[in-house]
Every structure is written in C-alpha cells, then in structure tokens.
Amino acid sequence: DKLRESKVFLRALFDYTPYEDKATPCQEAGLPFRKRNILQVVCQEDATWWQAKRVGDCNLRAGLIPSTQFQERRLRYRMKMGSLPAAAPLKAPLSSLRRSFRLKKERQSAPAEAADPKHTEFLIYEEVTQYVPRPSERPRLIVLIGSLGARINELKQKVIAENPRRYGLAVPHTTRTRRSYEREGVEYHFISKAAFEADIQNRKFIEYGEYKDNLYGTSLESINRVLNQNKVCLLDVQPEALKTLRTAEFKPYVIFVRPRIHDGQGKSFGSSSSLSVGLTEEDLVEMSQSAERMEECYGHWVDYVLVKEDLSSAVAELQRALERAQTDPQWVPVSWVR
Ligand code: 5GP
C-alpha cells in the first residue's frame, strides 16, 4: 500500500460540499473541502470521482472528490445553461469589484482580459508541491491584498520602518511633478508622460493607473531591484496583477488582510474598537461585503489570511507570517519548482 501512496497534491480552488452535490454516487463518501485546502489524491483510477485526503487533517479517511475533467464538464454545462450560482468558482470580472475599492486609493490596474466576459477560466484544482525556501535564493515576493478598510499601506510602512534592512518597497513611477521634499528614486521615479506611455507599450509595468491626471505605476524592474538586494519586497497591488506575478521567478506569497468586523447582531457596531471608530453600520456592512468579494474572487491565490484587529497586533502578526514565508516549507504550484 505504501508503494501506491500518491504523490499528487492539489490545492482546492473552490469550496466543495458533498451534501449539496446531486451527482455524487454517495454523499457520505464525499470529502468536503474549502478553497485553499491541500488535498492528497490517493486514487485517480475513476475518470469522474477521485479519492483524496485533506492534508493536515487528523481525519485520515479518504473521500470522493470530483475529478478535474468532471468538474470542468459540469461547470461548462451550467455556464451554457446560464445557471451558475453567484458563488460559482469562476473568476468574476473586475468590474464587479470596483465598488469595493471606492474608499481605497483611486487605483486601477492595467486593463486586463478580466474585463472580457468571454475570458473565463474554471477554478478547480492546482497541482502543488512543497517548496522549502533556501537562503541562497532571492526572497519570495510578498503580495499584500486587502479588502476595504484593511489599510495595507500603513501596515507595510510600519513593517519596513522596523526593519529597513530586511524589508523594502518597489519604488513606483509617476508623471506628476516632484515635490520639494521628494527625491528621485526614493518616493518615486519621476518620468515624463511620453516616457511613461512608452513603458506601458513595452510592458514594463505590472500595473498602472491614473490619479488626478497623473499616471502612476509599478514596474517589474523596481520589484527586481529590491529582491536583488536580498530584501523582502512588500508589494501592495490590485489583485489582478497576481496573474502576471505568479511565476517561478517571484514565487509570490500572498497575504490577504481583512479587517475584523464585529457583527454580533449589530451589538458591537460602533464599539470603541480602534477599527470601528467613526464608522457607520453601513460602512461596516460594506467592509464585510468587500472582504467576501475579495475572498470569492481571489481567495484561491491566498497563502495567508490576516484578520486585522488593531494596528500593532496586525503588524506583529504580519512580521511573523513574513518570516515564516521565507523559512518554512510552503505549498506552491509544481511549475514553480520544476
Ligand atoms: P501622491 O501623488 O500623493 O504621491 O499619490 C497619489 C496616489 O497615486 C496614491 O494615493 C495612489 O492612488 C496613486 N499611486 C501611487 N503609487 C501608485 C502605483 O504604483 N500604482 C498605481 N496604480 N497608483 C499609484
């Protein structure tokens, strides 16, 4: 039996509830799992139902999971019939997320194919393997994504201020004029509009956007500059940019920061917790919806979820997560290590 132990590990990219699955041959035999769970596949002999165990689960019993081919076939069919539920494991078009960034910086990522409704890929499984970071390698890129109210910039600045030799930021480019206290290459790289547009054409930016008539963007080169100094680069971008960044070169470790929202039937709304000061009930509802949307659309790419209560505990937790990301074994797509 040992010899037949499978070496196939999959990261689930969707939530699966056997009890809601009408197609399963036996609901009791199904293996429930959540997005981000790691599944060890023990048998793939059947084309429709595989057998798998959840990694890190004390329950060692294997259960049935839909095979990739089967899951894809039925999603394709449901899509054709227009009957996909709202929470279907599909990549939602970017437009549905826009609102969640209303209070955030007025950022926009480079127009991506996500805006094209025909470009829809099914999120089913991703084959993964354990990767142990080596000190001889460049640090992994850290990508921070946050839902409404997460205030990632503040977190990022704190972490860097406490250890500027270990952590760094990619310096963005902008077309706005330099302010007297700013230095070229520190706050920004200041370039002309023509140069910026040429850089867009040459695909130098992983994302860019317009703010008050000026262009701003983050280049691949600026990320590489930080990593090549052997520093951990903290990047805070629109999650759409992950499509470009998820490569063996960067091995991004994705941290999703969401504010803790106390919603005990509204009792804690407006409590003196630092997060909810000055926020209306409507703000809090909007914040939790934003977090849900982020989880739904990008949660499958997330390595670590940080629920932010107050700034100092969030900074401490972030620092611990960042250190682990550079030292502990981690599940990554097989294509990153081959
Ligand atoms: P400021 O001109 O005050 O330095 O920055 C104004 C705004 O520019 C920021 O709040 C943010 O919305 C935008 N910005 C700064 N850096 C970047 C970047 O790298 N990419 C994008 N898309 N926007 C940025």
Side-chain angles (χ1 to χ4, degrees):
D1 251 5
K2 266 262 141 54
L3 286 174
R4 292 187 47 206
E5 185 89 322
S6 152
K7 291 275 184 330
V8 177
F9 291 92
L10 303 175
R11 187 196 326 261
L13 306 180
F14 68 110
D15 295 332
Y16 179 61
T17 315
Y19 283 91
E20 290 170 3
D21 189 350
K22 293 192 188 79
T24 180
C26 169
Q27 286 176 337
E28 286 71 35
L31 182 80
F33 57 79
R34 310 278 290 163
K35 196 184 271 199
R36 291 195 287 273
N37 282 167
I38 304 294
L39 309 171
Q40 180 180 18
V41 182
V42 287
C43 179
Q44 284 180 304
E45 272 161 36
D46 190 273
T48 311
W49 298 98
W50 292 340
Q51 291 174 43
K53 299 187 229 181
R54 279 194 310 254
V55 170
D57 197 344
C58 6
N59 178 9
L60 290 172
R61 188 184 69 94
L64 296 179
I65 65 169
S67 72
T68 305
Q69 302 85 308
F70 175 58
Q71 187 66 9
E72 191 175 323
R73 206 181 327 127
R74 61 178 174 179
L75 288 176
R76 202 177 295 285
Y77 177 78
R78 281 183 223 166
M79 191 165 78
K80 210 173 82 190
M81 306 310 280
S83 66
L84 273 179
L90 293 169
K91 196 159 293 160
L94 190 61
S95 55
S96 69
L97 278 171
R98 283 269 155 73
R99 222 176 105 74
S100 65
F101 299 114
R102 195 169 53 83
L103 295 184
K104 218 197 145 190
K105 305 182 263 188
E106 284 286 324
R107 271 193 177 189
Q108 276 180 6
S109 52
E113 68 272 32
D116 173 5
K118 285 198 299 287
H119 182 93
T120 330
E121 55 196 83
F122 295 111
L123 298 170
I124 303 173
Y125 307 113
E126 176 175 60
E127 190 176 351
V128 290
T129 187
Q130 284 227 301
Y131 161 74
V132 187
R134 279 182 298 250
S136 60
E137 283 173 288
R138 294 201 312 183
R140 291 182 69 177
L141 175 65
I142 302 294
V143 178
L144 297 161
I145 61 174
S147 56
L148 195 64
R151 301 171 66 166
I152 288 184
N153 198 39
E154 194 178 39
L155 276 176
K156 207 170 63 174
Q157 299 297 347
K158 282 261 181 214
V159 169
I160 291 172
E162 285 186 24
N163 198 344
R165 285 149 58 112
R166 176 105 178 104
Y167 299 105
L169 286 180
V171 178
H173 286 66
T174 182
T175 60
R176 83 154 158 72
T177 43
R178 192 173 61 82
R179 295 173 189 144
S180 59
Y181 56 87
E182 289 176 329
R183 289 149 299 168
E184 159 61 34
V186 179
E187 287 81 6
Y188 289 103
H189 296 291
F190 297 92
I191 61 173
S192 69
K193 193 152 191 219
F196 199 108
E197 279 162 358
D199 285 353
I200 294 174
Q201 289 306 313
N202 295 325
R203 301 179 165 276
K204 289 203 175 171
F205 296 113
I206 54 147
E207 64 87 42
Y208 62 89
E210 201 176 310
Y211 180 80
K212 292 192 179 163
D213 294 334
N214 291 305
L215 292 167
Y216 295 83
T218 307
S219 69
L220 276 176
E221 198 188 334
S222 68
I223 298 172
N224 279 320
R225 209 171 291 138
V226 179
L227 294 171
N228 291 343
Q229 290 167 14
N230 212 29
K231 280 189 184 180
V232 178
C233 180
L234 304 183
L235 198 62
D236 140 35
V237 288
Q238 289 292 304
E240 274 304 309
L242 278 168
K243 278 198 192 139
T244 319
L245 293 170
R246 291 188 91 240
T247 61
E249 186 191 2
F250 294 120
K251 296 189 178 64
Y253 184 84
V254 182
I255 300 180
F256 169 31
V257 185
R258 55 187 297 174
R260 160 141 7 248
I261 297 161
H262 301 277
D263 64 346
Q265 275 84 54
K267 282 198 195 81
S268 333
F269 280 177
S271 76
S272 59
S273 138
S274 59
L275 256 174
S276 29
V277 169
L279 294 175
T280 64
E281 188 156 336
E282 193 186 83
D283 289 334
L284 295 172
V285 168
E286 217 176 312
M287 279 162 68
S288 85
Q289 286 172 347
S290 159
E292 290 321 309
R293 270 197 301 272
M294 194 74 120
E295 174 64 43
E296 195 178 298
C297 299
Y298 301 103
H300 52 278
W301 277 333
V302 169
D303 291 287
Y304 188 83
V305 180
L306 196 164
V307 181
K308 183 181 173 192
E309 184 95 40
D310 58 90
L311 183 62
S312 64
S313 66
V315 169
E317 183 176 343
L318 180 57
Q319 282 166 329
R320 285 192 298 273
L322 291 171
E323 281 314 307
R324 277 199 306 269
Q326 308 295 343
T327 52
D328 292 4
Q330 235 88 208
W331 294 100
V332 301
V334 286
S335 59
W336 291 5
V337 290
R338 263 176 196 153

